Amino acid sequence: MWGLSHTPQQRRIEVVTEVFGGIRDGITWQPYIQPGRDAVDVHWLYTAQDTGPDGAEAYIARFRPGAHGDLHEHLGYELMVVLDGELINDNGDQYLPGTIVVERPHSIHRVTSPGGCELLVVREKRTVPLPPGATPDDGLALTAVRKPVALDPVAPQATA
């Protein structure tokens, strides 16, 4: 087909389609059991059981209205894509559908979703729950949001 000799191997592939705007069918949800996490369900794509002791994992998360994750520290990078709804970070940032959020190693935060949301989450390493009273970091999260470009309607004119 591409000019190379290759025999496709049997492998397990999981495909989830139509993820933007809310996942309705074909997903098996499980409660996410973790200290300080409430009203969050997940569909695991892979877990630390699949990837080894560092704890890399990927999942689709469904935060039911009012759901939250208590204060925790990221031991590695985490990439989140908001698929539906709104996620709110403890610093006040609001993430809407189409937003990509990258938490850096050692970032500390907590999240909530008053109206509910769905996310794709990919973690390089696990997180560690922190006790009440620990302090969130001052901005180790990177956010990429698709925003319209505002053009200045009164641009300076070139002079001769």
Side-chain angles (χ1 to χ4, degrees), residues 25-101:
D25 300 317
I27 295 289
T28 303
W29 297 103
Q30 302 173 5
Y32 192 4
I33 307 299
Q34 186 182 47
R37 198 167 293 274
D38 185 42
V40 179
D41 299 315
V42 296
H43 174 76
W44 291 104
L45 301 171
Y46 56 85
T47 69
Q49 290 178 336
D50 303 313
T51 62
D54 279 341
E57 59 189 21
Y59 55 91
I60 299 169
R62 178 193 297 168
F63 279 57
R64 287 179 262 142
H68 66 86
D70 279 352
L71 202 61
H72 59 277
E73 179 179 1
H74 291 266
L75 299 182
Y77 283 95
E78 175 185 72
L79 175 123
M80 293 185 293
V81 180
V82 180
L83 305 173
D84 191 42
E86 176 186 45
L87 184 70
I88 299 175
N89 216 336
D90 60 3
N91 66 358
D93 287 349
Q94 298 176 327
Y95 308 130
L96 300 174
T99 303
I100 297 171
V101 180

Side-chain angles (χ1 to χ4, degrees), residues 16 40 52 54-55 68-69 77 80 93 102 107 110 122 125 129 141 159:
V16 179
V40 179
D54 279 341
H68 66 86
Y77 283 95
M80 293 185 293
D93 287 349
V102 177
S107 66
R110 69 184 118 228
V122 180
K125 295 183 179 180
T159 55

